[in-house]
Amino acid sequence: MIRTAIVEDDSLYREELQELLARYSREKGETFRVTLFTDGEQIAREYAPEFDLILMDIEMGAMNGMEAAKKIRGADEEVTIIFITNMPQYAIEGYRVGALDYILKPVSYPAFEGSLARAISHMKKQEEHYLIIHMKNGSRKLPLSRVLYIDVMDHDLCYHTLDGEFMTKASMRSVLQTLEGEPFFQCSKGYVVNLAHVEGFQDTDLLVGGERVQVSRARRKPLLDALNDYLDSVGK
């Protein structure tokens, strides 16, 4: 499911964009969970990174789409933004705030379909390198490259990252399934490490991001093999 925000102050255009998404869904089999906003200020105020895609009008009253996008980027560098506009001169400025594309009004289905297909392809590539975790105060998108290691604390998982620690309710098994194919390794029952951040060994523990991480005796040899394979792959 693609979590989508439509930000448009014109009710007719909001309805049209919903209909275009519904048509795309019928034809392509994608599903969308749509949230409607009537101006840029409404979405930018206390924005949380909970959307995959934002379809944003540029010319709106309280806060235009460009200003809203700048504020959103401060909280979410990865959400895919497509601008809807009748002012093509905004295109260059749109790319400065990381917009993937823009569609000119009046919106035709072929233009919408092509832009949405590019956006979905872009998002699926991003999904391979990000985790979305759910916490008490909302959701957060974690770049895998910034995760040092993950451990179990009571019934919670703690993600130790370069940006701090983040707690979530989840099982280690579900995380391992999500991380399949990524350079992570379970070095003991309670720890999963990012091989890209392994600095070496101290006694029988791993050094990861300056911290010691336990390695079980049974996992030492497989860990060394995984490290060697990883270093070979990045050295090519």
Side-chain angles (χ1 to χ4, degrees):
M1 179 178 291
I2 299 171
R3 301 165 303 168
T4 305
I6 294 176
V7 189
E8 170 61 72
D9 61 350
D10 187 311
S11 61
L12 293 178
Y13 271 117
R14 283 199 304 275
E15 185 176 337
E16 181 183 13
L17 289 171
Q18 286 181 279
E19 291 172 354
L20 290 169
L21 282 173
R23 178 177 173 182
Y24 191 96
S25 180
R26 290 192 303 271
E27 294 183 1
K28 307 296 184 182
E30 296 285 354
T31 56
F32 301 88
R33 188 184 72 196
V34 179
T35 305
L36 301 177
F37 297 90
T38 57
D39 61 60
E41 185 178 19
Q42 189 182 21
I43 187 173
R45 187 190 314 122
E46 298 181 0
Y47 177 86
E50 58 189 8
F51 295 107
D52 305 304
L53 172 66
I54 299 175
L55 303 175
M56 179 110 69
D57 185 24
I58 290 182
E59 295 196 320
M60 294 182 286
M63 178 186 290
N64 68 35
M66 205 64 67
E67 289 301 314
K70 289 176 183 176
K71 289 184 175 295
I72 288 168
R73 278 289 176 246
D76 189 347
E77 295 181 357
E78 301 304 323
V79 64
T80 299
I81 299 174
I82 297 176
F83 282 123
I84 315 293
T85 181
N86 54 13
M87 307 288 283
Q89 63 266 32
Y90 281 120
I92 293 176
E93 189 176 351
Y95 294 133
R96 288 175 184 157
V97 294
L100 180 75
D101 206 351
Y102 74 99
I103 305 173
L104 286 175
K105 295 180 177 180
V107 180
S108 69
Y109 183 71
F112 182 85
E113 179 188 28
S115 184
L116 197 56
R118 287 192 292 275
I120 291 171
S121 175
H122 174 74
M123 286 185 286
K124 287 182 176 177
K125 289 178 181 177
Q126 283 184 316
E127 285 174 2
E128 298 172 2
H129 304 288
Y130 283 82
L131 270 176
I132 295 176
I133 64 170
H134 304 287
M135 303 180 295
K136 290 181 180 179
N137 58 347
S139 301
R140 186 178 180 94
K141 196 180 286 186
L142 296 181
L144 292 185
S145 63
R146 299 186 68 78
V147 176
L148 300 169
Y149 65 93
I150 307 161
D151 65 359
V152 177
M153 298 182 67
D154 295 326
H155 298 293
D156 295 330
L157 291 183
C158 182
Y159 289 81
H160 300 258
T161 79
L162 294 172
D163 306 301
E165 296 181 357
F166 304 96
M167 302 288 291
T168 183
K169 294 283 187 184
S171 69
M172 187 65 86
R173 178 179 295 180
S174 67
V175 171
L176 289 170
Q177 290 173 345
T178 302
L179 293 174
E180 189 171 351
E182 301 290 347
F184 285 77
F185 186 86
Q186 186 175 17
C187 57
S188 66
K189 184 178 180 180
Y191 288 90
V192 172
V193 297
N194 186 343
L195 297 175
H197 289 287
V198 172
E199 299 162 357
F201 284 86
Q202 186 169 341
D203 301 324
T204 58
D205 294 338
L206 272 181
L207 283 178
V208 183
E211 299 182 41
R212 293 177 66 144
V213 174
Q214 294 177 359
V215 181
S216 69
R217 182 175 298 178
R219 302 298 287 165
R220 288 175 195 167
K221 176 61 166 61
L223 171 62
L224 288 172
D225 292 340
L227 272 172
N228 286 329
D229 290 343
Y230 171 74
L231 293 172
D232 284 345
S233 69
V234 297
K236 290 179 181 178

